[in-house]
Amino acid sequence: MPRGIIVIKAREHSCAVTYGTYVMPDRWINSTLHNYFIPLAVLNTYICTGLSCYSRFLELDRPKLSKILRTGAFVYPFIFDNIPLIYRLLFCFGEDCNWNAAIPIHCHHLLFAFLTGFLFSSHLPERLAPGRFDFIGNNEPLPA
């Protein structure tokens, strides 16, 4: 299993733990989603890691399906892990929702996460300037 996938999936799990602990809206505390949020995030981590690794076997035979599965393996956990944050930013207003100084930082986080996902899935920098984003003979892109 590629080391980079394990590191990214570990980050997704730690993001879910942090969001389940600190970002969960007050009205969701002790709800069914709150009680099962972290176990479901762990299950998602295992499933999406396996899906991402399996997509590597399909690269030669079915490259489009491989790309869809790999992208889905990264997009789905991101959306699941960010459910409390997205709810808090879009729908959580009133007395039972805390609005604090961290909210603008969360907005920047989501903006840059969507930008990163777009650049990952479109390979836009490499298409505009092929070979310029290789790091000293390695074909790994610099932002990664």
Side-chain angles (χ1 to χ4, degrees):
M1 183 179 310
R3 182 176 175 263
I5 292 174
I6 295 171
V7 171
I8 289 172
K9 296 303 178 186
R11 286 184 196 151
E12 290 171 3
H13 172 64
S14 62
C15 177
V17 170
T18 304
Y19 283 179
T21 305
Y22 297 109
V23 180
M24 191 72 66
D26 293 340
R27 58 178 84 156
W28 286 7
I29 302 297
N30 294 324
S31 68
T32 304
L33 177 65
H34 183 249
N35 293 332
Y36 291 106
F37 185 74
I38 293 175
L40 285 173
V42 171
L43 180 66
N44 287 339
T45 300
Y46 288 123
I47 291 172
C48 291
T49 301
L51 187 63
S52 182
C53 292
Y54 175 72
S55 71
R56 298 284 182 178
F57 294 112
L58 300 175
E59 282 182 345
L60 296 176
D61 297 334
R62 301 177 77 185
K64 288 186 179 181
L65 179 61
S66 173
K67 178 78 170 180
I68 290 170
L69 289 177
R70 191 172 312 126
T71 304
F74 287 95
V75 170
Y76 170 70
F78 173 79
I79 291 173
F80 179 83
D81 292 348
N82 283 292
I83 286 173
L85 179 60
I86 292 171
Y87 178 83
R88 181 173 224 148
L89 293 176
L90 296 179
F91 305 113
C92 194
F93 298 103
E95 296 174 7
D96 57 348
C97 286
N98 293 333
W99 192 266
N100 55 30
I103 298 299
I105 295 169
H106 290 310
C107 291
H108 285 107
H109 161 76
L110 287 178
L111 173 72
F112 288 119
F114 283 120
L115 178 65
T116 302
F118 169 73
L119 292 176
F120 170 75
S121 61
S122 69
H123 297 284
L124 188 60
E126 287 182 18
R127 289 184 183 180
L128 295 176
R132 301 225 186 245
F133 292 93
D134 293 345
F135 183 69
I136 309 174
N138 189 359
N139 63 356
E140 288 292 321
L142 280 178

